[in-house]
Amino acid sequence: AQRDWHSLASGRAAAKSRRARRRSLRAAPGTDRRAGRSTSLLPCPRQRAPAMVANDIEALVARLRGPGAGDQAVAAITLAQLACDNASLCAPIVAAGALQPLAEVLRSGSEVGKACAAAAIARLACVAGLPIVATGALPPIVELMRAGTDNGETNGAWAIGQLARFASLRALIVAAGALPPLVELLRSGPKICKTNAAFAIGELAEDAPTRALLVTAGALPLLVELLRAGPEKAKASVAFLLVRLATEMQHEITALRTGRDALAEGFESSRRSLARPQRGTT
């Protein structure tokens, strides 16, 4: 019986030690329980007190400004996770000064860091569209869609789509050269990348001049193919976009027909004028 009591006590002590270990892991941000690697600076952001989260945001922004590429990538994706878990944290993240260092990571960070920064930008765009563009983030996002990794291209298209929700930014996005890489992603990107590209194109196509550019760029057959064999998530937005583009093409066809009729009438009038006999002069 004494031996059984000792076994029970040892089991309770072991269980208590395991619980203490789990608490210490949660209290030490960025620790992987299996390998001790830095994976996320905020493992349980929903369960943390507001004051602690505010301190965490400041620490994350500081790590974004640091020299370590790995720290920058982890800080960027953790900010994206924070904004995803709690949309009310987007404004505090922006107020803490995260946008400028995120733009710097997009310009000169590692490939992983750029992809993570684009994800953070996409999450923060709902409250900071114009400030994001003011940091000069558009050109590196367009370049990321053109020559980044699969994750970079996917997150870049996602960020463009979120920014394009602001009507005042659409012309700036098109001027930054976003349409050609978006169309190319429709042609050859991974499935989720095609979905994000279609969403971004749909937002940009709210402007009539952009719809004309998309038709010229050859987006129409790619969208038809995406509607036929693309991801289910993309089909609804693609169908709506195709209707918009078809309307734009119909307007162009009507204009061409009107111009053709006017030209034909002008030629016919000139022909009749030349065919009339000319009176001689005496």
Side-chain angles (χ1 to χ4, degrees):
Q2 186 176 5
R3 185 180 305 166
D4 292 342
W5 182 86
H6 280 299
S7 299
L8 181 60
S10 299
R12 288 177 176 174
K16 184 177 180 180
S17 177
R18 287 193 296 271
R19 288 194 297 270
R21 173 62 178 163
R22 286 194 293 267
R23 285 195 298 270
S24 68
L25 285 172
R26 287 196 294 267
T31 305
D32 188 339
R33 298 181 184 181
R34 292 166 297 180
R37 294 191 300 267
S38 176
T39 56
S40 173
L41 299 182
L42 297 174
C44 303
R46 292 178 178 174
Q47 301 174 4
R48 299 172 74 84
M52 295 178 67
V53 173
N55 292 335
D56 290 331
I57 291 173
E58 293 179 0
L60 290 170
V61 173
R63 293 189 70 165
L64 275 177
R65 295 192 176 100
D71 284 348
Q72 291 174 348
V74 172
I77 200 60
T78 306
L79 286 171
Q81 290 170 351
L82 269 179
C84 176
D85 287 336
N86 191 344
S88 65
L89 293 178
C90 291
I93 291 172
V94 172
L99 296 185
Q100 192 61 51
L102 284 172
E104 290 298 328
V105 174
L106 282 170
R107 275 190 285 268
S108 57
S110 65
E111 291 300 321
V112 175
K114 290 177 181 179
C116 294
I121 289 291
R123 288 293 183 189
L124 299 174
C126 61
V127 298
L130 186 57
I132 287 171
V133 173
T135 64
L138 274 182
I141 292 176
V142 171
E143 183 59 28
L144 187 63
M145 291 193 299
R146 184 179 290 115
T149 62
D150 285 352
N151 285 338
E153 292 171 350
T154 299
N155 291 345
W158 179 26
I160 290 295
Q162 296 301 314
L163 291 171
R165 289 185 166 189
F166 294 89
S168 60
L169 299 181
R170 290 172 192 149
L172 296 175
I173 293 171
V174 173
L179 288 185
L182 284 172
V183 173
E184 186 59 34
L185 291 178
L186 281 181
R187 179 178 290 108
S188 59
K191 283 187 176 181
I192 188 170
C193 195
K194 290 180 178 180
T195 300
N196 289 350
F199 172 76
I201 287 174
E203 292 295 330
L204 293 172
E206 290 294 321
D207 292 350
T210 301
R211 293 198 293 272
L213 291 174
L214 287 169
V215 172
T216 304
L220 195 58
L222 300 174
L223 290 168
V224 171
E225 180 60 28
L226 192 60
L227 183 63
R228 181 182 298 114
E232 291 297 326
K233 290 183 178 180
K235 288 185 177 181
S237 59
V238 168
F240 179 74
L241 177 56
L242 283 172
V243 172
R244 300 292 298 272
L245 292 178
T247 303
E248 187 68 30
M249 291 184 69
Q250 185 61 42
H251 289 165
E252 290 186 358
I253 292 171
T254 302
L256 288 174
R257 286 175 176 171
T258 302
R260 180 199 63 188
D261 294 343
L263 188 61
E265 184 179 350
F267 275 125
E268 181 62 23
S269 176
S270 298
R271 188 186 67 78
R272 287 196 300 266
S273 176
L274 292 173
R276 290 172 186 164
Q278 300 293 324
R279 293 183 178 181
T281 58
T282 58

